[in-house]
Amino acid sequence: MNYLIVTNSCPFSHDKQGNKIVTTSNVGGVATALKSMLEKFGGTWICWGRGSADENFCEEKYNNYTLKRIMLTRRERQGFYEEYSNGVLWPLFHYFRDKIKFMPVSYKIYNEVNKKFAKEISQNIENNSVIWINDYQLTMVPFHLRQMGIKNKIIFTWHIPWVSKEFYSILPEGRDIIQSLSMSDVLTFHTKLYTNNFTETYRFLFNEKPHSKVYSIPLGIDTSFFSYERARKIKYDGIANKKIIFSIDRLDYTKGLINRVLAIERMLKKFPELAGKFVYVMNVTPSRTNVPEYIKMKKEIEMTVGRVNGEFSTMSWTPIIYMYRKIKDSTLLSYYKIADVALITPLIDGLNLVSKEFISVTRKGVLIISKFAGSACYLNDALHVNPYNLDEIADAIVTAINMDEGEKYDRLQKLKMEVQKKDSTWWYKKIISKVA
Ligand code: G6P
């Protein structure tokens, strides 16, 4: 068997920096798992070359697999990526009705770009290739492949939530999209809830069962990489004697970033004795910086963090250390290691791998997780909160800070077992076994 992986983002990109060309690795959770699978079995990876120098690297050979980049014009990038993927589908599948900007023109471009992906796939498959497509940017690819007469097995993995049938039905192009998805042989979601929502949506729209087999198989992490032993020491002299609350997210309105800052404010008002005893290290990674909602969100966060820090800071203490930048994995590991509490409170999240990474690395930490993150249903021994309830978040932080060592240890052992059992290799093996 040979695999053909299709994702929107590439695991590596090339950018011009003056006269030089630098290569950046974008190997997030999904890419880590897919990359190790391709290295093992061999195959091809097709993705969109969005780096400023990627046009010079349309085909690259890596360890046992070939990476092929599809180039998009400015208009295609805007219609496909910024407007339809991130301006319509992203808010739709996260229940943000007011942020959806319906635009029939951008759907047209989205569909054309999906066809472009399908064409590239058709030129790279062999008889026994399994095509494995990922996520909401590529929903129409199965339709175009079948139109071209391609009969190979298709796996489609969905990495974000799937909404209720009524909510999905507001999407004008909804019937085409769900029909295309169900032209895959195997469709996977991260939780039972999303799987059920999908099946119910299909029944609601077509009065029959979807044609593909549908499974809930949650993505896992590479636990040998996210380990305590690999985490290096970092200097944090100024805050070493304080409890460290940590979070890392892409800048996105689904992540509940403002609510989290407001919860810190609420906590300081409710428990003023905590002033000076903790710091909240809030790391935010730039994302989708050309999409208007994200530009607006960035300003809102800066204002809110500034206001809360302005209210509570002293000459020797600032409650929130806000960092807006992409950090290296090695730095991230160190943060996981020093953190007493990981505060992961998205308003909604397809899965959330940060929660699993933290559990894998920490030896002393407590995880606070939003009950609307997909991973929460697997992480029963974390503290679960409603991210809209600021008092509940504030109280959970206090509970976490004061938790006795025995309880912390017991919870952590159970959580670690879950994360280790369902790691990234378990995930891809389980999925490919469904088409075997
Ligand atoms: C989410 C999506 C992924 C996407 C990632 C980064 O996790 O499910 O498909 O790759 O965000 O977003 P970006 O728009 O920067 O590729």
Side-chain angles (χ1 to χ4, degrees):
M1 201 97 78
N2 150 316
Y3 293 91
L4 196 141
I5 298 289
V6 196
T7 57
N8 178 50
S9 304
C10 292
F12 305 98
S13 53
H14 307 277
D15 289 281
K16 293 179 203 142
Q17 271 184 17
N19 294 332
K20 278 199 309 198
I21 289 184
V22 291
T23 305
T24 324
S25 154
N26 309 312
V27 189
V30 176
T32 303
L34 297 174
K35 187 168 150 274
S36 64
M37 190 191 90
L38 277 187
E39 284 170 355
K40 189 160 171 200
F41 298 105
T44 309
W45 191 324
I46 294 176
C47 47
W48 163 39
R50 71 215 268 197
S52 55
D54 273 345
E55 61 204 357
N56 305 323
F57 299 89
C58 284
E59 184 172 332
E60 281 183 300
K61 293 251 178 280
Y62 284 105
N63 210 352
N64 211 15
Y65 68 94
T66 309
L67 187 85
K68 298 234 171 175
R69 291 190 172 82
I70 292 180
M71 301 310 298
L72 301 182
T73 62
R74 232 189 137 90
R75 178 175 166 272
E76 283 174 332
R77 178 197 167 105
Q78 194 184 347
F80 156 74
Y81 177 70
E82 279 145 23
E83 293 174 2
Y84 201 74
S85 297
N86 292 325
V88 178
L89 296 182
W90 182 267
L92 175 94
F93 282 107
H94 292 85
Y95 290 104
F96 281 88
R97 187 188 299 235
D98 295 345
K99 297 202 194 287
I100 308 176
K101 304 222 163 45
F102 293 108
M103 268 185 282
V105 188
S106 50
Y107 176 68
K108 205 166 152 268
I109 302 172
Y110 172 90
N111 197 17
E112 280 163 18
V113 170
N114 273 231
K115 194 168 172 185
K116 212 163 163 172
F117 271 85
K119 201 160 158 222
E120 184 70 29
I121 298 168
S122 71
Q123 289 162 354
N124 286 282
I125 42 172
E126 295 161 22
N127 284 342
N128 66 346
S129 308
V130 171
I131 304 167
W132 184 344
I133 309 165
N134 290 270
D135 233 355
Y136 63 98
Q137 301 93 346
L138 302 171
T139 58
M140 292 305 289
V141 176
F143 168 79
H144 291 294
L145 288 172
R146 297 303 186 219
Q147 284 284 98
M148 291 170 187
I150 287 168
K151 304 238 160 33
N152 294 54
K153 287 265 162 70
I154 301 179
I155 299 173
F156 202 112
T157 294
W158 194 257
H159 296 283
I160 62 176
W162 190 281
V163 286
S164 72
K165 57 184 190 293
E166 295 83 0
F167 198 82
Y168 180 81
S169 305
I170 67 177
L171 182 66
E173 302 81 20
R175 287 170 69 92
D176 289 356
I177 286 180
I178 197 168
Q179 215 159 22
S180 169
L181 289 171
S182 78
M183 290 176 189
S184 318
D185 297 273
V186 165
L187 245 167
T188 78
F189 295 88
H190 292 313
T191 72
K192 195 102 203 92
L193 172 70
Y194 309 152
T195 309
N196 291 344
N197 281 350
F198 174 85
T199 311
E200 278 181 26
T201 307
Y202 197 91
R203 267 186 205 282
F204 183 64
L205 294 176
F206 300 107
N207 220 356
E208 59 175 9
K209 275 194 354 211
H211 300 167
S212 42
K213 289 192 256 168
V214 188
Y215 302 96
S216 29
I217 308 176
L219 176 61
I221 58 161
D222 176 358
T223 49
S224 62
F225 181 83
F226 288 100
S227 75
Y228 185 86
E229 290 75 19
R230 286 191 56 127
R232 286 203 304 255
K233 279 200 180 128
I234 46 163
K235 279 208 166 131
Y236 59 111
D237 302 345
I239 57 171
N241 57 349
K242 312 205 186 303
K243 291 286 180 190
I244 298 175
I245 304 165
F246 175 68
S247 71
I248 178 158
D249 310 82
R250 277 186 312 104
L251 189 142
D252 199 296
Y253 49 80
T254 59
K255 301 292 183 184
L257 298 165
I258 304 269
N259 284 20
R260 227 176 290 165
V261 174
L262 296 179
I264 296 288
E265 178 185 33
R266 180 70 55 90
M267 182 173 87
L268 279 166
K269 289 209 164 127
K270 249 174 121 167
F271 309 102
E273 67 279 10
L274 287 179
K277 303 226 166 66
F278 75 91
V279 285
Y280 172 31
V281 179
M282 184 184 200
N283 201 291
V284 176
T285 312
S287 179
R288 304 177 192 167
T289 46
N290 290 329
V291 178
E293 283 296 340
Y294 291 73
I295 299 169
K296 209 170 102 192
M297 176 92 226
K298 178 169 181 282
K299 290 195 187 129
E300 270 177 55
I301 296 173
E302 287 165 355
M303 266 175 50
T304 318
V305 171
R307 185 179 61 70
V308 173
N309 273 344
E311 193 173 335
F312 295 98
S313 290
T314 62
M315 288 294 277
S316 54
W317 180 66
T318 305
I320 304 169
I321 301 180
Y322 172 65
M323 295 184 266
Y324 176 71
R325 74 195 69 132
K326 188 171 179 350
I327 58 169
K328 287 195 292 221
D329 276 347
S330 54
T331 313
L332 176 61
L333 282 175
S334 309
Y335 287 148
Y336 285 150
K337 183 174 175 173
I338 63 168
D340 297 286
V341 179
L343 186 59
I344 317 293
T345 56
L347 302 179
I348 179 166
D349 206 340
L351 187 67
N352 192 286
L353 289 180
V354 170
S355 52
K356 297 192 179 194
E357 292 168 2
F358 174 69
I359 290 300
S360 188
V361 175
T362 187
R363 283 196 177 159
K364 61 167 182 178
V366 179
L367 171 65
I368 300 178
I369 182 101
S370 156
K371 60 179 166 188
F372 305 124
S375 63
C377 67
Y378 303 101
L379 302 173
N380 297 323
D381 289 278
L383 299 179
H384 290 201
V385 294
N386 170 2
Y388 292 89
N389 186 337
L390 304 184
D391 281 297
E392 207 173 293
I393 304 177
D395 294 348
I397 299 174
V398 176
T399 306
I401 289 177
N402 295 327
M403 192 180 284
D404 73 68
E405 296 303 316
E407 183 179 352
K408 255 195 225 175
Y409 180 83
D410 289 347
R411 285 177 182 264
L412 209 47
Q413 295 318 303
K414 290 189 206 142
L415 290 166
K416 277 185 187 283
M417 248 163 49
E418 166 69 23
V419 171
Q420 272 155 14
K421 195 171 73 192
K422 296 185 194 145
D423 67 356
S424 51
T425 311
W426 171 89
W427 176 73
Y428 77 67
K429 282 194 175 155
K430 183 116 185 158
I431 293 181
I432 58 181
S433 75
K434 304 294 183 193
V435 288

